Amino acid sequence: MKQFIASVIAFFLSVFGCIIPPADTADLQPIAERQAVATSEQLALFETVLETELAWLAGLQLENGAIPMTKNDNGTVTVNPYFADFAALALLDKADVYGENVKKYIEWHLAHLNTADTDPNGLDGTIFDYTVTLSDGNITAETSKGSYDSVDSYAATFLTVVSKYYEKTGDTDYILSRAADIDR
């Protein structure tokens, strides 16, 4: 993820850094009036970076739909639903290619929702962080950490994923079929 963020920041600085006027410019144009001009070479580079990073993110996804924070075919990985949501959101920028990956992630997320009985705070619809053990890329164990960093941001980012999934794919039947769990 750090590689992706650093690449995107570096790209934007190289492409769009030229449109920021110097600090001593007396008559600054409002941002809305400035135009970003990128060469076809810069746009092609951005597209290449985007496609490469999205393929990398999709490559992190486990067979059960979870999106861990790191790649490790032999050992353990952590699945933090908050960060997995951001990976899913990025994948939806190319929903025609990665829409099924996101749908599979949504399924994983919904299957791991806590009930009021299993949540330590008695809240229905929360989700814990998970540790997944892999051997040759195959899941041998998936263990709940029994905790989460928050409930509000996990829910907010997940609902953003569901909304963007619907917006990008138009998969009304799927959303309606999972409405009760999404509502939780």
Side-chain angles (χ1 to χ4, degrees), residues 7-18 42 45:
S7 298
V8 171
I9 290 171
F11 172 77
F12 278 108
L13 287 175
S14 68
V15 172
F16 300 111
C18 61
Q42 290 167 324
L45 173 61

Side-chain angles (χ1 to χ4, degrees), residues 2 22 25 42 49 53 80 83 90 92 98 110 114-115 130 134 147 150 160 174-175 178-179:
K2 289 181 183 178
T25 302
Q42 290 167 324
V49 169
E53 294 302 320
N80 177 302
F83 292 116
L92 285 169
Y98 299 110
L110 292 174
N114 298 318
T115 65
Y130 281 80
L134 301 159
S147 64
S150 72
T160 302
Y174 174 69
I175 298 299
R178 299 311 310 254

Side-chain angles (χ1 to χ4, degrees), residues 107-157:
E107 281 298 308
W108 177 88
H109 190 109
L110 292 174
H112 289 78
L113 291 178
N114 298 318
T115 65
D117 292 335
T118 60
D119 181 89
N121 299 303
L123 300 171
D124 183 48
T126 62
I127 187 169
F128 292 138
D129 294 342
Y130 281 80
T131 300
V132 179
T133 305
L134 301 159
S135 177
D136 295 323
N138 297 309
I139 297 172
T140 59
E142 181 181 57
T143 308
S144 165
K145 290 187 174 185
S147 64
Y148 38 68
D149 296 330
S150 72
V151 293
D152 56 349
S153 61
Y154 280 31
T157 55

